[in-house]
Amino acid sequence: MINKTVPNAESATKDIGSNSVLMLGGFGLCGIPENCISALLTRDLHDLTCISNNAGVDDFGIGQMLQRRMVRKMISSYVGENAEFERQLLSGELKVELIPQGTLAERIRAGGAGIPGFFTPAGVGTEVADGKEQREFDGKLYILERGLIADFALVKAWKGDTAGNLIFKGTARNFNPLMAMAGRITIAEVEELVPAGELDPNHIHTPGIFVQRIFEGKNYEKRIEKRTVTP
Amino acid sequence: MLDKIQIAKRIAREIKNGQYINLGIGIPTLVANYIPEELEVVLQSENGLLGLGPFPNEEEVDADLINAGKQTISMVKGSALFDSSMSFAMIRGGHVDLTILGAMEVSENGDISNWKIPGKMVKGMGGAMDLVASAENIIVAMQHCSREGKSKLLKNCTLPITGIRCVRKIVTDLALITVMPEGGFRLLERAPGVSVDEIKSKTEGRLIIEGEIPEMVF
């Protein structure tokens, strides 16, 4: 079996350069590639384009990359909870492209699946439709959306094996399996890395063909944005 | 006038047995607390869960288990987890039976605005545009008027649109209203103590009143 293992986040991400287009998995702070982000923060990078559903919070996740002015453009569906983001956006340092969440997910899936475009009803009659081809199918209007790919996809899984097979946990799955398909180079960080053959093939969410590099991450903080409990 | 909890309670009465339901953030989230116990329904969270349960207790909190509002949650028995693409396949594909969400404005032909106020920080539409583009059955929970006292039930939306001709019902602090297929807000019920005249004066769009309008029952 092909071995995709690299030693750590630094070696996995060392060829990510300025001006790269990155996809980063996660929904809010759930299922984000913490180790890869930490490794990027030690580098002198700028003008990155980041495709991610959200932009982290001020001091965690992509928010930290924004603090260091590493990001030129964000492609996201929701970017609340981040004061530095707002400041850079209003000052023009940062560009943002907002995309309906389902459209974002499907654009990434399509990109990874070799589908250059598809029609969706989301955004018809709104500013999201501006400048896009519109077509009627069976009496209903749809807009053309394009597939998305990235130079590097940074994904986080629960378990993985040396062949790059991945299993996700809970709602930390979210955009990760889609982005894994859409990276020219996909880097997977996992909480537990095991030898090929130890994961049940019936339980694999992302087959190893989509993953070029895999490593076992460390010191996961897994910060919770809104801890809500039943008293 | 209804408070937020009463709005949620009234909406809960619209829920039918066997439905798969997506609840938006705010008042819609409260609806989950008032679904009659005899109904078997499944709540969908668009970040990738069918079978949303109550908030966990302190020991059960799991950072890998959150709802679309990023709150920690639990799962009910029989839950399923999936990725974001499959989640929106459920939504766009019409598999989710009922969508309950908040709004800033609704027009008399069922257009909804709820994602952007020009000149203010734009946070994004999240999943709202996908949800309203396909759902056959959308109930809006909102206040009848803005804080400045302006009607939010309009002839035409003034804010950027989230989706067109999609809202089916509206529950406000004053009334239960259905949006007619040919356009117009048809008044179905009034909140306890609220007169038809008051609802009329606070509805800018065309209000259709036929016969006696009953008071809501809880």
Side-chain angles (χ1 to χ4, degrees):
Chain A
M1 193 56 74
I2 304 168
N3 191 333
K4 310 282 177 74
T5 312
V6 294
N8 52 37
E10 287 69 29
S11 57
T13 57
K14 66 175 191 300
D15 55 346
I16 295 179
S18 295
N19 301 298
S20 294
V21 177
L22 309 183
M23 286 180 181
L24 297 101
F27 180 94
L29 301 179
C30 182
I32 62 172
E34 292 183 23
N35 277 239
C36 283
I37 291 172
S38 296
L40 292 177
L41 290 173
T42 65
R43 307 259 316 278
D44 182 24
L45 295 172
H46 54 85
D47 290 299
L48 297 173
T49 295
C50 291
I51 303 170
S52 182
N53 189 57
N54 312 93
V57 293
D58 273 325
D59 60 343
F60 199 60
I62 294 173
Q64 293 170 290
M65 296 169 69
L66 293 166
Q67 297 275 6
R68 288 173 204 225
R69 311 274 202 282
M70 296 169 77
V71 184
R72 178 82 192 103
K73 185 177 181 186
M74 281 299 312
I75 299 177
S76 303
S77 86
Y78 188 83
V79 295
E81 1 292 353
N82 195 322
E84 176 63 15
F85 184 101
E86 183 169 352
R87 193 199 64 71
Q88 289 185 22
L89 185 63
L90 295 176
S91 71
E93 293 165 64
L94 180 69
K95 284 192 163 63
V96 63
E97 187 179 337
L98 293 168
I99 298 179
Q101 195 178 328
T103 298
L104 180 62
E106 196 60 18
R107 287 183 65 183
I108 296 165
R109 198 200 71 82
I115 295 172
F118 59 91
F119 284 94
T120 177
V124 168
T126 77
E127 62 187 52
V128 166
D130 290 350
K132 289 175 184 157
E133 184 183 334
Q134 202 155 222
R135 200 185 289 184
E136 192 180 308
F137 294 92
D138 304 320
K140 188 171 169 175
L141 281 172
Y142 298 81
I143 53 179
L144 177 65
E145 294 282 4
R146 300 290 310 270
L148 274 174
I149 52 169
D151 298 320
F152 296 89
L154 313 181
V155 305
K156 153 77 180 25
W158 179 41
K159 290 180 180 176
D161 68 18
T162 52
N165 297 305
L166 304 177
I167 297 175
F168 302 91
K169 176 170 159 274
T171 55
R173 192 181 320 182
N174 55 63
F175 284 81
N176 282 298
L178 314 171
M179 291 180 172
M181 297 195 297
R184 288 194 184 91
I185 293 175
T186 290
I187 302 166
E189 55 174 273
V190 298
E191 290 177 56
E192 187 184 350
L193 182 64
V194 299
E198 298 225 338
L199 299 177
D200 183 343
N202 288 299
H203 294 167
I204 302 297
H205 294 131
T206 291
I209 189 171
F210 295 118
V211 175
Q212 279 67 49
R213 301 169 193 168
I214 189 166
F215 66 93
E216 187 171 285
K218 56 186 186 203
N219 304 326
Y220 280 104
E221 180 179 337
K222 293 198 184 181
R223 193 184 293 189
I224 293 172
E225 238 170 294
K226 292 177 186 166
R227 175 181 287 269
T228 320
V229 296
T230 302
Chain B
M1 291 231 307
L2 305 184
D3 60 22
K4 285 179 181 180
I5 287 172
Q6 288 170 309
I7 292 175
K9 281 183 174 169
R10 181 61 194 84
I11 291 175
R13 287 188 47 223
E14 297 294 305
I15 291 171
K16 295 183 177 63
N17 196 40
Q19 284 183 325
Y20 289 91
I21 305 168
N22 182 289
L23 301 176
I25 293 161
I27 298 174
T29 303
L30 297 175
V31 173
N33 301 333
Y34 305 105
I35 299 171
E37 273 183 28
E38 64 273 20
L39 298 187
E40 293 283 352
V41 298
V42 180
L43 302 180
Q44 201 249 18
S45 192
E46 65 265 26
N47 55 320
L49 168 63
L50 267 178
L52 198 58
F55 296 129
N57 60 40
E58 200 63 58
E59 300 79 60
E60 293 166 339
V61 167
D62 181 353
D64 291 329
L65 207 55
I66 62 169
N67 64 15
K70 289 144 194 161
Q71 297 168 305
T72 47
I73 41 97
S74 68
M75 292 187 281
V76 298
K77 280 182 184 161
S79 283
L81 295 155
F82 36 85
D83 67 52
S84 302
S85 171
M86 188 176 286
S87 179
F88 283 92
M90 293 171 193
I91 290 165
R92 269 190 255 94
H95 308 281
V96 173
D97 302 298
L98 175 61
T99 297
I100 301 170
L101 74 179
M104 297 170 185
E105 295 176 347
V106 176
S107 80
E108 64 183 36
N109 63 359
D111 296 353
I112 180 171
S113 297
N114 71 351
W115 77 283
K116 181 178 184 180
I117 301 173
K120 290 202 177 165
M121 171 61 187
V122 178
K123 293 187 171 184
M125 66 291 279
M129 284 192 184
D130 310 273
L131 279 158
V132 301
S134 311
E136 292 289 313
N137 195 4
I138 296 177
I139 302 178
V140 162
M142 67 176 189
Q143 304 300 319
H144 211 94
C145 295
S146 67
R147 283 199 192 95
E148 297 76 37
K150 283 175 65 181
S151 178
K152 295 166 80 170
L153 287 85
L154 306 173
K155 185 165 266 312
N156 295 298
C157 291
T158 63
L159 294 169
I161 299 282
T162 309
I164 52 171
R165 289 184 287 281
C166 56
V167 175
R168 179 78 67 84
K169 275 185 178 162
I170 308 162
V171 178
T172 74
D173 48 340
L174 303 182
L176 167 66
I177 282 164
T178 187
V179 179
M180 302 302 285
E182 66 278 13
F185 297 116
R186 181 167 169 203
L187 182 58
L188 297 180
E189 296 177 11
R190 46 200 179 83
V194 174
S195 70
V196 170
D197 282 343
E198 180 178 356
I199 296 164
K200 216 172 173 176
S201 71
K202 290 180 175 173
T203 305
E204 191 229 76
R206 189 161 66 93
L207 189 69
I208 302 165
I209 303 158
E210 286 174 2
E212 275 299 300
I213 307 300
E215 264 192 13
M216 281 178 202
V217 184
F218 288 93

